[in-house]
Amino acid sequence: MKKRIVIGTGIVLGLFLILLISLFAFRSRLLNYTINRVVEKVESRYPVDFTIGTAEFTGLTSVVLSDISLVPHGQDQLFRTDSVHATVGFRSLFRGRIVLRELDVANGYLTAIKNGDRNNFSFLFRKDSSQPIDTTSGGRNYGALLNRVLETAFDNVPEQVDFSNLNVTYTSPNRNIDIRMPYLTIEEGRINSQVSIQTDSLVNNMLVKGTIDPRDYNMRASLYASDNQGIRLPYVQEKFSGTVAFDTLHLGITDKTYRREKLTVKGSAMVNNLVVSHEKLADEDILLKEGAVDYVVSLGQNLFVVDSLTEVRVNRAKANVYAAYNNADSKIIDLKVRTESLPANDFFGSLPPGLFETLDGIQAEGELQYKMQFHVNLDSVERVVFDSDLDASKDFKIVKWGNANLDKLKGPFMHTMYEYGKPIRTFMVGPANPFYAPIGQISPYLRNAVLTAEDAGFYSHNGFHEEAFRQAIATNIKKREFVRGGSTISMQLVKNVFLTRKKTVSRKVEEAIIVWLIENLEIVSKNRMFEIYLNIIEWGPDVYGAKDASRFYFGKQPSELNLNEAIFLTSIIPSPKRYRSSFDSYGNLRSWKAGYYRLIGGMMARRGLISQEDYNNLQPNVRLYGRARDLIVTAPDADYEDTTEFELETIDMLGF
């Protein structure tokens, strides 16, 4: 029995040895057979010539492939490399596949070229022709495209990678991108690389470190600037006339699913020392010391969604964000922002420097919570939805003002007027100024005309006219620029006293925050706000305030203004520098002013601000005296008799 066992064992070992010897003897043929199958598979799937010069074993499982190239039919060469050293599994060879466990690539060159409609790379992103094509839906499914890219990338990550001198270039008539990677290593899931990216004339040098787990579609990577220039985003200056730069960027994917033609990706990102500069955002560079986002993003056919589970952090302030863009039938944009109650000091302390200069240094107690909802169909922007609420706890208060002390509105203060960013005049807003007029000494006609035209709900709202703001958003979307502000008197006051007149996003948001503080903390009364407003707004050439305007145009005190004069002064508030265009060379109001008089007078009459007799006697004409007469009346022997007759009727264009 023992002898039979020994003989049997010897036979088995002998057969195994013969198998190993045979496998070793024929492994080159097996390798070449597998290589040929891979080449055939690639060339049958894509319109390319795929070439591998030589393939041979250098060890038991180590192979070297030389002179590899990929050339699309009728196009320039897309990829080539001098040599690839790899470790393969015999099991994969028997299956006619090559599964690389370790990969060492030297001198790799990926060259993408685009010239008009011709390029040598788009074939990689086309769907498999064997799959049925959905002809019922329009547009490109970027979710499907990104899913194929992610799966191709993750499924082909070897266990160990050592790239040296990897080069990627993209060339087109308008773009030149050159990426040089002296080394890239992946070992036990850890990524290390050095990268230099040149986009046209902009060069970024950075280090990349991270981890990757291809089986779970999990990857984290950090980009660090390897010089003192930081990392700057390309083409921002060219396309948007701005700059975006940062020191460090952390990116991560933690999960991805693809169901029903929709890709959902989860992950996180964080940026340090982000600097954003654009004249439409703020006057100064915006600095964000730390910003982060935990995101859930979905892409599908004509659909892009940032799920409400997405949390954005700006310094210490956190908010949940929902955003969606759907262009299946119409272009629809939705945006929702919501914060939990957070300490007010964290809210103000998290505002990026350079974004809200006036609020820098402000300190507060209590808690704040913010909610915002925005919806617009770009095919019917007049139906835009916009709701914004900032709620404060009962114990909320300001313990220290920042650069702007809002308490100065309570008493006399020095005010400087600016034009094109330069100071042109400084004057006292208070009784010490002989041109200052207390609100009780200003004609009720002027007060009511200004309220009717500029902000009819001033005494009832909390600083914001939501419907006017929605109309302003709709107009700005249509014009694709800031052409209408939807400002209340409270907002105009804040703009004049505390802010510049530049139309930037930051200034508008800062204006809203300051108005909210003044109104909700009841820093001053509505009467006091209106009084200051009437004493500082511009009414002509170096003419500021109701008293100065009354004397400049009519040689009167503001208390003596009649209804005709009040409506005229109200009409030039939006464009005071164009005051002369309201008159002809004889000093008569031009005929087109009649419509404005009917509009404002009609609304004042319906609200009971003037009598019916006042309205019936309303005439679009005024008599000029003082400096205004010398500047406006240029015709010889000027006559102030206006023989034009006007048929007055009520025109309620604003829906009041």
Side-chain angles (χ1 to χ4, degrees):
M1 178 64 72
K2 291 183 179 179
K3 185 176 180 180
R4 289 180 180 178
I5 293 175
V6 171
I7 293 174
T9 302
I11 292 173
V12 172
L13 290 176
L15 290 174
F16 183 71
L17 182 60
I18 292 172
L19 178 62
L20 286 178
I21 294 173
S22 300
L23 182 59
F24 188 80
F26 291 100
R27 62 178 181 164
S28 294
R29 290 187 181 181
L30 186 59
L31 176 62
N32 287 322
Y33 169 77
T34 305
I35 291 289
N36 290 334
R37 286 199 59 182
V38 171
V39 170
E40 290 174 0
K41 186 175 181 180
V42 171
E43 291 184 344
S44 65
R45 184 173 182 181
Y46 300 111
V48 298
D49 292 322
F50 184 35
T51 303
I52 298 178
T54 61
E56 57 184 7
F57 277 94
T58 58
L60 184 61
T61 59
S62 301
V63 299
V64 58
L65 312 178
S66 303
D67 299 326
I68 302 173
S69 66
L70 184 70
V71 182
H73 292 167
Q75 300 289 341
D76 296 296
Q77 179 177 269
L78 177 61
F79 176 76
R80 73 175 178 87
T81 183
D82 292 345
S83 63
V84 174
H85 294 262
T87 300
V88 300
F90 278 121
R91 182 181 299 177
S92 66
L93 291 178
F94 283 114
R95 293 176 179 175
R97 299 176 55 201
I98 296 181
V99 176
L100 304 177
R101 295 174 180 169
E102 298 179 6
L103 185 62
D104 186 346
V105 180
N107 303 319
Y109 299 89
L110 178 64
T111 306
I113 299 174
K114 178 178 173 59
N115 190 357
D117 295 333
R118 293 172 56 85
N119 65 74
N120 66 341
F121 55 84
S122 62
F123 68 90
L124 293 170
F125 306 111
R126 293 172 185 159
K127 285 186 176 181
D128 191 335
S129 60
S130 63
Q131 296 179 356
I133 299 175
D134 183 4
T135 59
T136 62
S137 59
R140 174 174 291 184
N141 189 332
Y142 288 99
L145 175 62
L146 180 58
N147 184 63
R148 289 198 297 274
V149 171
L150 289 174
E151 289 190 347
T152 300
F154 277 96
D155 291 349
N156 290 279
V157 174
E159 295 177 0
Q160 185 170 321
V161 171
D162 189 354
F163 289 174
S164 60
N165 190 28
L166 182 62
N167 302 270
V168 179
T169 61
Y170 171 80
T171 304
S172 74
N174 302 318
R175 294 284 182 269
N176 289 286
I177 303 174
D178 187 5
I179 303 175
R180 299 183 182 275
M181 194 178 299
Y183 66 87
L184 167 63
T185 63
I186 300 177
E187 186 173 1
E188 296 181 353
R190 295 190 299 271
I191 304 172
N192 285 283
S193 181
Q194 180 182 347
V195 185
S196 177
I197 303 176
Q198 179 173 348
T199 50
D200 297 331
S201 60
L202 178 64
V203 178
N204 283 310
N205 297 308
M206 64 190 81
L207 298 175
V208 181
K209 296 182 180 297
T211 60
I212 187 168
D213 184 352
R215 292 167 297 182
D216 293 332
Y217 295 99
N218 190 307
M219 184 184 71
R220 298 181 183 276
S222 298
L223 284 66
Y224 305 90
S226 59
D227 53 31
N228 57 8
Q229 300 298 317
I231 300 173
R232 292 161 292 169
L233 295 188
Y235 307 123
V236 176
Q237 179 65 42
E238 176 185 334
K239 287 189 174 183
F240 306 105
S241 301
T243 58
V244 178
F246 54 87
D247 287 347
T248 308
L249 177 64
H250 308 276
L251 296 170
I253 298 176
T254 58
D255 183 48
K256 78 99 182 164
T257 57
Y258 186 71
R259 295 174 183 168
R260 298 179 180 177
E261 298 295 316
K262 186 171 73 172
L263 173 69
T264 299
V265 179
K266 299 179 182 179
S268 62
M270 185 171 71
V271 65
N272 298 107
N273 295 322
L274 173 67
V275 178
V276 179
S277 176
H278 194 284
E279 62 177 5
K280 293 294 186 180
L281 294 178
D283 296 338
E284 305 293 333
D285 289 348
I286 302 169
L287 172 62
L288 175 59
K289 293 183 179 179
E290 184 175 284
V293 57
D294 293 322
Y295 64 85
V296 180
V297 177
S298 296
L299 291 86
Q301 188 80 30
N302 303 309
L303 179 68
F304 176 86
V305 177
V306 177
D307 193 273
S308 58
L309 294 175
T310 298
E311 182 181 81
V312 176
R313 177 167 59 85
V314 176
N315 295 323
R316 289 174 290 175
K318 297 180 180 180
N320 285 96
V321 175
Y322 169 83
Y325 173 73
N326 189 327
N327 66 340
D329 298 316
S330 301
K331 294 181 179 179
I332 299 174
I333 300 172
D334 284 287
L335 178 63
K336 295 180 182 179
V337 179
R338 180 185 178 89
T339 71
E340 300 297 329
S341 293
L342 71 157
N345 229 25
D346 286 352
F347 174 83
F348 290 110
S350 296
L351 298 177
L355 189 59
F356 307 122
E357 182 181 354
T358 306
L359 297 172
D360 281 352
I362 193 171
Q363 295 181 14
E365 294 179 354
E367 294 188 336
L368 294 172
Q369 183 178 20
Y370 179 69
K371 293 176 290 185
M372 187 272 284
Q373 179 179 0
F374 173 79
H375 169 86
V376 63
N377 184 328
L378 296 181
D379 291 339
S380 55
V381 296
E382 64 278 357
R383 298 180 182 177
V384 63
V385 174
F386 181 82
D387 295 302
S388 179
D389 293 304
L390 182 62
D391 298 323
S393 61
K394 293 182 179 180
D395 59 342
F396 172 77
K397 65 179 180 179
I398 301 297
V399 296
K400 180 182 178 181
W401 292 111
N403 292 336
N405 183 0
L406 306 189
D407 279 337
K408 77 176 186 179
L409 297 177
K410 296 178 179 178
F413 62 92
M414 298 300 296
H415 179 60
T416 300
M417 298 299 302
Y418 290 84
E419 199 167 287
Y420 305 111
K422 297 181 179 180
I424 57 173
R425 181 178 171 184
T426 298
F427 55 89
M428 172 65 71
V429 180
N433 181 354
F435 285 93
Y436 183 83
I439 194 168
Q441 296 179 16
I442 298 175
S443 165
Y445 288 131
L446 180 60
R447 300 200 309 263
N448 290 327
V450 171
L451 287 172
T452 299
E454 293 295 310
D455 187 1
F458 172 70
Y459 280 95
S460 59
H461 64 55
N462 63 348
F464 304 97
H465 192 305
E466 293 186 356
E467 182 56 34
F469 200 70
R470 280 191 284 270
Q471 293 177 13
I473 293 175
T475 301
N476 294 335
I477 292 175
K478 288 180 179 179
K479 300 293 185 180
R480 296 188 178 184
E481 61 178 332
F482 293 116
V483 294
R484 183 174 175 183
S487 294
T488 61
I489 284 177
S490 304
M491 298 170 77
Q492 293 181 52
L493 174 66
V494 166
K495 176 181 66 177
N496 279 281
V497 175
F498 298 106
L499 304 173
T500 69
R501 293 193 176 187
K502 289 188 177 181
K503 294 182 178 181
T504 64
V505 173
S506 65
R507 198 225 70 189
K508 200 65 183 176
V509 175
E510 189 172 25
E511 175 185 295
I513 294 175
I514 295 175
V515 168
W516 184 88
L517 289 170
I518 293 173
E519 294 271 0
N520 282 269
L521 295 177
E522 298 181 346
I523 293 175
V524 291
S525 67
K526 288 282 191 176
N527 272 346
R528 173 61 177 165
M529 293 173 67
F530 193 31
E531 179 177 286
I532 296 173
Y533 173 83
L534 291 173
N535 276 278
I536 65 172
I537 59 174
E538 184 179 7
W539 252 308
D542 199 30
V543 177
Y544 297 98
K547 190 170 187 178
D548 199 2
S550 300
R551 297 180 62 173
F552 174 77
Y553 289 103
F554 310 120
K556 292 182 176 183
Q557 294 297 322
S559 60
E560 300 170 334
L561 294 172
N562 61 37
L563 180 59
N564 289 347
E565 294 162 344
I567 292 181
F568 162 73
L569 288 179
T570 300
S571 73
I572 63 173
I573 289 177
S575 301
K577 287 183 170 36
R578 300 180 58 191
Y579 69 100
R580 294 179 64 173
S581 66
S582 299
F583 299 90
D584 62 21
S585 60
Y586 292 91
N588 298 314
L589 280 175
R590 297 188 183 275
S591 59
W592 54 266
K593 280 286 185 179
Y596 186 85
Y597 270 70
R598 290 194 295 266
L599 172 67
I600 301 302
M603 289 190 292
M604 292 176 71
R606 286 194 298 278
R607 294 191 181 110
L609 301 176
I610 59 174
S611 66
Q612 189 62 39
E613 182 181 0
D614 284 335
Y615 178 72
N616 293 337
N617 294 329
L618 181 62
Q619 292 289 330
N621 192 28
V622 294
R623 286 181 173 273
L624 295 173
Y625 294 94
R627 288 193 298 137
R629 175 182 179 180
D630 297 334
L631 294 173
I632 294 172
V633 180
T634 58
D637 301 322
D639 188 340
Y640 283 99
E641 291 295 327
D642 187 3
T643 59
T644 305
E645 293 185 1
F646 298 94
E647 180 183 352
L648 297 183
E649 59 178 295
T650 299
I651 300 179
D652 193 350
M653 295 172 58
L654 298 182
F656 289 101

